[in-house]
Amino acid sequence: MKVMIIGGTGLLGKALVREWSGDDVLALGSRDVDIRQAARVWEIVQGERPQWIVLAAAYTDVDGCESDPQRAFAVNRDGPANVAEAAKTFGAKLLFLSSDYVFDGKKASPYETGDPRNPQGVYGRSKAEAEVRLLDILPEVCIARTSWLFGTGGKCFPDTILKLAATRPALDVVDDQRGCPTYTVDLARGIIGLCRKDATGIVHVTNSGDCTWFEFACEIIKSLRLETEVRPVSSQQMARPAPRPAYSVLAATSLRRYGIEMPSWKDGLRRYLEERTP
Ligand SMILES: NC(=O)c1ccc[n+]([C@@H]2O[C@H](COP(=O)([O-])OP(=O)(O)OC[C@H]3O[C@@H](n4cnc5c(N)ncnc54)[C@H](OP(=O)(O)O)[C@@H]3O)[C@@H](O)[C@H]2O)c1
């Protein structure tokens, strides 16, 4: 099978490249193809003729999206539409990465794939609008929503916590946002499984279990037996430009339909910390 990973230089893209074996995988960064340029997208899909395209490219700076909505919608909504048009024309299957931020966070139980989208910020809106466009262009698209990624090869929450813990005796971490931290290695394996099963429709793919950012930070500090104190604070105390959902736990029901089970986030974190500090 020939697979094209667009966004192959990102946090998830690098894990996909490492984990994907037995198929012919071509990983592309923004220098190879800028998805905002329809003609270039068309050219590369026509030239390579992949059976699957995994679209992991995005403008992922959630706060940056608030100050540059034009870029957010161009990269996160219009770019994916260009890729979907090319996939449709050249008969490629498409798996698109989306986000828990398409939800408003007002639910108190895990979000199912059919729950209504109601994004709160520009990033979430750009992803939600991309989902709608893609389902229209290519109804058999697979949309894999995920959340709170961590892994090697880029900036991520555990990395930030460990850098701060190295220089500060105490850290303030938000305790009123709950979600599912997801190890890029486990997500990559889930995505590969979905492609091999010819998945279509919306699927939620995260590690199992959930926590707040504060609980996540405590687990990181505890795992490495560090002395740093972690203090819970509210989102209001740590004001950021983009609103974040208070609750964005994604239900695993849709993934189980494909016979795929994800490890717990604590297990993922343990393996990440081992990988990071061998
Ligand atoms: N990170 C999270 O916590 C999180 C949570 C939920 C969903 N997601 C989704 O999961 C996917 C992967 O996220 P990630 O954290 O791996 O992203 P990332 O590390 O920020 O990497 C972004 C990737 O997109 C590429 N890219 C950016 N602009 C592009 C453009 N105009 N044309 C083509 N490629 C472009 C980058 O290429 P270069 O590096 O070569 O410029 C890079 O490969 C994204 O769709 C994201 O929205 C992420």
Side-chain angles (χ1 to χ4, degrees), residues 5 34 36 39 48 56 81 87 90 134 139 142 155 161 171 178 186 188 204 220 227 232 253 264:
I5 300 169
D34 184 333
R36 291 171 291 187
E48 297 294 337
F90 298 107
L134 263 51
C142 180
K155 241 175 71 176
I161 290 294
L171 304 176
R178 180 166 291 276
D186 295 332
H204 288 173
I220 296 161
E227 298 290 306
T253 329
S264 72

Side-chain angles (χ1 to χ4, degrees), residues 157-173 213-231 265 269 273:
F157 182 77
D159 209 38
T160 305
I161 290 294
L162 291 174
K163 276 188 191 133
L164 291 173
T167 56
R168 295 188 196 174
L171 304 176
D172 292 339
V173 185
W213 292 110
F214 165 73
E215 291 163 356
F216 193 7
C218 289
E219 187 67 22
I220 296 161
I221 296 294
K222 190 180 90 183
S223 301
L224 295 180
R225 296 187 183 85
L226 301 177
E227 298 290 306
T228 317
E229 182 193 356
V230 186
R231 297 181 301 222
W265 68 265
L269 176 63
L273 292 174

